[in-house]
Amino acid sequence: MKRTLTVGVAVAAFALAGATPAVAAPTPSDALASALGLDAQERLVVRDSVTDADGTRHVRYDRTYAGLPVLGGDLVVHSAADGAVRGVDGNANRVRLSGTRAALAAPAGARQVVWAGSGQPVLAWDAVTEGVRADGTPSRVHRVTDATTGAALTSWNDIRTLTADDVVPARAATAGRPGVAVAGTGKSFYSGTVALETSGTYQLKDPTRGNQQVNNLNHATSGSGTLFTDADNAWGDGTNADPATAGVDAAYGAASTWDYYKNVHGRNGIKNNGVGALSKTHYGNAYVNAFWDDSTFSISYGDGSGNTHPLTSLDVAGHEFSHGVTSATANLSYSQESGGLNEATSDIFGTAVEFNAGNASDVGDYLIGEKIDIFGTGKPLRYQDKPSRDGKSPDYWDANLKNLDVHYSSGVANHFFYLLSEGSGAKVINGVSYDSPTFDNQPVTGIGRAKAEKIWFAALSTKFTSTTDYAGARNGTLAATETLYGRTSPEYAAVARAWTAVNVQGTTPPTGKYFENLTNVNVPDKGAAVFSGIAVTGVTGNAPAALKVGVDIKHTYRGDLVIDLVAPDGSTYRLKNSSGSDSADNVVETYTVNASSEVANGTWRLKVQDVFAADTGYVDAWNLTF
């Protein structure tokens, strides 16, 4: 959500001047860190920057504390065209450590960090274990533990795969003139005969798209492989008999993904720096997966069961490259709900790439991996209209979602995207039948895929951070929609409705009288109560028996807070009590109050008091619905 800061233009200019996408970052700003209330030992380091057409800038910062990386502490700072800072998204919890020495010895291969992804930041160890899974997929697992208590804090794998571990059985793995574009052709396995931009005489390297290239691993599971070359610039024969056929699909998928991000979102390559990535085909033996490795800036594609169906289809290419885009922007942690959003982002843009390519041999659909036939039954890997059709992905959010494999918890966001694009109910699109349900059995009207894509990308690149969960995704997409189309637009209402339809609840635009206050009010630590007022006018008679009070408070320990609604005559209605066991962050709730004895018109106030020490926050926004 938006956070408005009282930061002068001079400070904002110092923090953001010269921050353009994928170029040398400006000097990290101590002044901005101070204005955000961070510790004197904390520093902000620019990682990415997006500038809107109206000059609004969204600068993404990583944080350090006393030189240590602050994991889960990344921020997006929003500034107006004149340089004035207008808001912040992400976790701005101040690091408060008495020192930087750990009580416990470092695990093997560990680095010292600060973990700020949940609750109060703590000193931690980040231990990395590298290996190879049973199916031949490389593994680079991070395990973060509390450096004082040894408690497990979080874990994730740096390798972003197409499928979950249990989707397929484990299989044994086995070991010119560059820079000048030349028009070639290729016979692909999935997409028919396609045009290719190659280099020299002749290399499967595309000078028009950042020199992205395709290599042949020839069934190895390590190294970079060998760049594909050809004598006549006519690549592949459309069958697995020619290794170059999979290379054609990989090159076509890479080009289609590059063009999609460039033409639809104005992004110049994965990192927005004009540099292309590496595609590696024929990974392992009968390897039934594909994966993105950010450390090598590359995709590796297996050849599928029996080496008969290479995983190089168009939507798989879009999926894997989009893991790189996510890493370069929101960097959604690959675990729990943020991991599900990471996977869903790749499915969403894999679908978008497929539609955008307009290929008659692989028409656009809302099925993931329908061409690669992983199961040998012709069924796709995942379904966006009704994710539960795969037998494991949920259609709707529930509290257990964070415990699922990220390839399954992605289902809720995939379902949201389909509903926002196409709406609910039965329909046929490009010859494929869909029937999308809703949690509340109420219909959803779609706004079209083109708008849905833009909303998701805007949220990913300007709102989401590494620890964004589903509630945060709802907030982020609504904020992005407000920027693109306006708060009172049909698009804004549709985004809110689509999230409700997948049981990600929140405050939605009401049909009755609606009043809100978006001005931030700081809540002092163990201090006096603070108030935020809303002047209600134009409502006849008394307030309703079911007055809705929407509350959005950012706080590092919600159990500290006592929250009341104060009526115009001073009557007080308790919304929330303090509780030592209520240890989560933030209060994002809609309360129902029987206020039928109160006259509606007048100034209503939200009263918030922090009654315990050590944690801070602020009222971000609140609203009343009559």
Side-chain angles (χ1 to χ4, degrees):
M1 292 292 289
K2 172 185 65 62
R3 181 180 179 187
T4 303
L5 303 171
T6 55
V7 182
V9 173
V11 171
F14 177 63
L16 305 176
T20 55
V23 297
T27 303
S29 173
D30 296 343
L32 180 59
S34 177
L36 292 172
L38 304 182
D39 187 88
Q41 297 188 75
E42 294 190 66
R43 298 291 181 269
L44 297 173
V45 182
V46 174
R47 182 159 58 84
D48 188 49
S49 178
V50 175
T51 302
D52 296 341
D54 65 357
T56 301
R57 279 184 172 178
H58 313 275
V59 182
R60 190 176 296 277
Y61 292 93
D62 289 327
R63 289 160 61 190
T64 65
Y65 174 84
L68 301 178
V70 180
L71 304 184
D74 47 316
L75 305 166
V76 184
V77 179
H78 312 285
S79 66
D82 64 1
V85 175
R86 296 301 188 193
V88 177
D89 281 292
N91 181 0
N93 291 350
R94 183 179 185 178
V95 179
R96 293 190 183 101
L97 302 179
S98 58
T100 55
R101 295 187 62 185
L104 300 177
R111 61 171 179 163
Q112 196 170 61
V113 299
V114 175
W115 170 247
S118 59
Q120 190 63 33
V122 296
L123 193 65
W125 293 112
D126 173 24
V128 181
T129 303
E130 298 195 45
V132 179
R133 299 191 315 210
D135 68 348
T137 306
S139 176
R140 192 177 305 115
V141 177
H142 292 251
R143 292 181 175 86
V144 181
T145 56
D146 191 307
T148 301
T149 67
L153 297 173
T154 190
S155 64
W156 71 90
N157 194 334
D158 279 341
I159 305 300
R160 275 53 165 153
T161 57
L162 175 69
T163 71
D165 292 347
D166 59 355
V167 167
V168 292
R171 299 177 184 274
T174 62
R177 289 178 297 149
V180 179
V182 183
T185 60
K187 291 183 179 179
S188 74
F189 194 78
Y190 297 112
S191 298
T193 300
V194 296
L196 299 173
E197 293 288 349
T198 61
S199 178
T201 55
Y202 296 99
Q203 299 174 331
L204 205 50
K205 179 186 290 188
D206 188 344
T208 69
R209 298 177 178 90
N211 279 321
Q212 56 190 18
Q213 69 183 60
V214 183
N215 288 8
N216 182 4
L217 280 170
N218 195 28
H219 304 297
T221 56
S222 61
S224 297
T226 304
L227 175 65
F228 276 103
T229 60
D230 187 84
D232 60 4
N233 211 18
W235 304 78
D237 64 2
T239 74
N240 286 322
D242 186 344
T245 296
V248 170
D249 278 298
Y252 176 66
S256 298
T257 305
W258 180 287
D259 291 349
Y260 168 75
Y261 279 106
K262 179 72 171 178
N263 298 333
V264 176
H265 302 298
R267 190 168 185 86
N268 189 24
I270 288 175
K271 291 188 176 180
N272 205 20
N273 62 356
V275 176
L278 171 64
S279 300
K280 297 186 284 187
T281 61
H282 306 298
Y283 176 93
N285 181 40
Y287 177 65
V288 193
N289 216 329
F291 59 88
W292 170 262
D293 186 345
D294 207 54
S295 69
T296 58
F297 205 54
S298 68
I299 297 174
S300 297
Y301 296 100
D303 286 324
S305 180
N307 295 318
T308 60
H309 279 76
L311 275 76
T312 50
S313 66
L314 189 53
D315 59 350
V316 173
H319 175 104
E320 296 302 337
F321 277 117
S322 293
H323 276 308
V325 174
T326 296
S327 178
T329 54
N331 197 28
L332 289 159
S333 180
Y334 207 55
S335 64
Q336 301 189 44
E337 290 191 15
S338 59
L341 291 167
N342 189 316
E343 271 298 312
T345 295
S346 283
D347 282 352
I348 286 167
F349 290 127
T351 291
V353 166
E354 189 177 78
F355 271 104
N356 188 70
N359 185 291
S361 298
D362 188 2
V363 296
D365 54 54
Y366 292 95
L367 310 173
I368 307 301
E370 75 283 355
K371 289 283 188 180
I372 56 179
D373 196 20
I374 275 185
F375 306 109
T377 60
K379 293 183 178 180
L381 182 59
R382 287 186 286 276
Y383 305 79
Q384 292 182 299
D385 67 317
K386 187 179 181 182
S388 60
R389 290 169 67 187
D390 69 4
K392 294 187 176 181
S393 297
D395 295 327
Y396 314 115
W397 183 91
D398 65 37
N400 186 54
L401 204 67
K402 65 184 179 181
N403 298 319
L404 300 180
D405 182 282
V406 296
H407 296 86
Y408 304 138
S409 60
S410 64
V412 176
N414 273 322
H415 193 190
F416 160 81
F417 176 75
Y418 176 87
L419 287 170
L420 183 62
S421 298
E422 305 292 349
S424 58
K427 60 193 64 183
V428 177
I429 303 169
N430 285 348
V432 179
S433 297
Y434 303 97
D435 193 356
S436 193
T438 63
F439 179 78
D440 54 8
N441 295 316
Q442 299 301 306
V444 172
T445 300
I447 60 173
R449 188 182 58 260
K451 289 181 178 179
E453 292 169 17
K454 286 186 176 295
I455 288 167
W456 194 267
F457 182 79
L460 177 76
S461 57
T462 69
K463 300 295 178 182
F464 294 174
T465 61
S466 63
T467 56
T468 295
D469 57 11
Y470 269 96
R474 178 183 174 119
N475 291 340
T477 51
L478 283 171
T481 306
E482 181 177 359
T483 299
L484 290 169
Y485 303 106
R487 192 179 183 89
T488 60
S489 65
E491 291 83 1
Y492 188 95
V495 170
R497 172 70 196 114
W499 278 122
T500 298
V502 296
N503 199 33
V504 179
Q505 304 295 336
T507 302
T508 62
T511 56
K513 291 285 187 179
Y514 177 77
F515 304 87
E516 68 179 348
N517 187 331
L518 298 176
T519 302
N520 297 161
V521 178
N522 287 327
V523 179
D525 186 26
K526 197 178 181 181
V530 297
F531 295 85
S532 177
I534 292 178
V536 174
T537 60
V539 180
T540 302
N542 284 7
L547 175 65
K548 301 295 184 183
V549 186
V551 176
D552 187 344
I553 299 174
K554 298 295 186 286
H555 198 275
T556 54
Y557 196 99
R558 56 177 284 155
D560 289 0
L561 300 180
V562 177
I563 307 172
D564 295 297
L565 176 69
V566 183
D569 68 356
S571 299
T572 299
Y573 298 84
R574 178 59 47 89
L575 303 179
K576 178 190 177 301
N577 286 311
S578 60
S579 171
S581 62
D582 191 5
S583 60
D585 296 343
N586 308 329
V587 179
V588 183
E589 305 282 353
T590 299
Y591 301 95
T592 301
V593 173
N594 183 353
S596 57
S597 64
E598 305 290 344
V599 175
N601 291 335
T603 298
W604 295 74
R605 295 184 297 165
L606 189 72
K607 177 183 177 182
V608 182
Q609 185 171 14
D610 183 333
V611 297
F612 296 110
D615 292 273
T616 59
Y618 60 96
V619 179
D620 194 356
W622 73 287
N623 59 70
L624 295 169
T625 304
F626 289 83

